[in-house]
Amino acid sequence: MVVTPGQSMSLTCTVSGFSLSDYWTHWIRQPAGQALEWIGEVYGDGTTLYSDKLKSRFQLTADTSSSTVTLRGQNLQAGDTAVYYCARELSTKFSRSILTETQASYPSSSTMFSTSLLLLLAAASCVHCEELTQPGSMVVRPGQSLTIDCKVSYSVTSYGTGWIRQPSGKALEWIGSIAYSGSLYYSDKLKNKFSISRNTGTN
């Protein structure tokens, strides 16, 4: 989709395999070569939460009858150029409310659907810029192991953290997440190959 600066746009995501009345659905975007940026989340009853940075320009709605969630943006600028994703949260709204009312606003879905939005100029920024302590790329031989550390800017005992990977030219793939409580969740496809841990002393 191509729009010019100052225009509006609407992106619709049709979901399958779950009910919008049971799960939050998130919208996330990723400018080329940049980190993921959370936009907001919507529940089937219309309840919404937004990034403070983006809430004045983006609106989320959900239609349970058609299993669609819609992202509407207004006054778009070059910095809004990105691939936009919708993603289902791992836990149901009921389970989430039992865990904590301040659970992280991070995508935790094993299935993501994407659509691209192209503006005439390219720029990027992120809400949470986390620091990977390894180089930007690592080379390992087939059969070898590797460890990647991520230093975050929030308390890992207050928010959950998810790991996601993106093979070149392919969609995002959720690996797993660690909850604020320390509970672990993994993709069924990858749970035998990856493990996630944290250090609460250093975040």
Side-chain angles (χ1 to χ4, degrees):
M1 178 183 294
V2 179
V3 299
T4 56
Q7 286 188 326
S8 300
M9 63 89 187
S10 179
L11 301 176
T12 298
C13 176
T14 301
V15 305
S16 61
F18 68 96
S19 170
L20 295 177
S21 298
D22 293 330
Y23 293 88
W24 290 89
T25 303
H26 297 252
W27 278 92
I28 309 106
R29 68 182 184 180
Q30 186 173 32
Q34 303 296 320
L36 293 169
E37 181 176 29
W38 180 74
I39 300 170
E41 59 187 299
V42 61
Y43 192 66
D45 63 3
T47 304
T48 54
L49 295 171
Y50 293 98
S51 157
D52 288 340
K53 174 185 174 182
L54 301 173
K55 63 183 178 182
S56 64
R57 296 194 300 114
F58 289 91
Q59 179 186 15
L60 302 180
T61 57
D63 185 342
T64 55
S65 64
S66 60
S67 295
T68 58
V69 289
T70 300
L71 170 70
R72 294 181 176 87
Q74 60 184 358
N75 190 27
L76 297 173
Q77 302 299 320
D80 296 310
T81 298
V83 177
Y84 285 71
Y85 298 90
C86 71
R88 192 206 79 185
E89 186 154 320
L90 180 65
S91 60
T92 65
K93 184 180 182 183
F94 177 74
S95 298
R96 175 178 173 176
S97 65
I98 291 175
L99 290 172
T100 176
E101 293 183 357
T102 59
Q103 188 165 346
S105 297
Y106 286 89
S108 55
S109 168
S110 57
T111 304
M112 293 190 179
F113 310 88
S114 68
T115 184
S116 61
L117 171 68
L118 176 64
L119 288 163
L120 298 184
L121 299 172
S125 60
C126 60
V127 175
H128 293 288
C129 296
E130 313 309 348
E131 176 188 349
L132 293 175
T133 59
Q134 276 74 17
S137 63
M138 299 176 66
V139 178
V140 296
R141 295 186 177 90
Q144 287 187 326
S145 301
L146 87 159
T147 299
I148 300 175
D149 295 323
C150 177
K151 184 173 180 60
V152 301
S153 56
Y154 53 89
S155 170
V156 295
T157 57
S158 298
Y159 294 93
T161 303
W163 280 91
I164 303 162
R165 68 180 185 181
Q166 185 173 32
S168 179
K170 297 184 179 180
L172 295 170
E173 182 176 24
W174 179 71
I175 299 171
S177 60
I178 184 167
Y180 76 100
S181 62
S183 298
L184 294 168
Y185 305 91
Y186 292 99
S187 159
D188 288 339
K189 174 184 174 182
L190 301 173
K191 63 184 178 182
N192 294 325
K193 296 178 61 178
F194 290 91
S195 63
I196 299 171
S197 61
R198 70 182 186 186
N199 185 333
T200 59
T202 59
N203 280 336

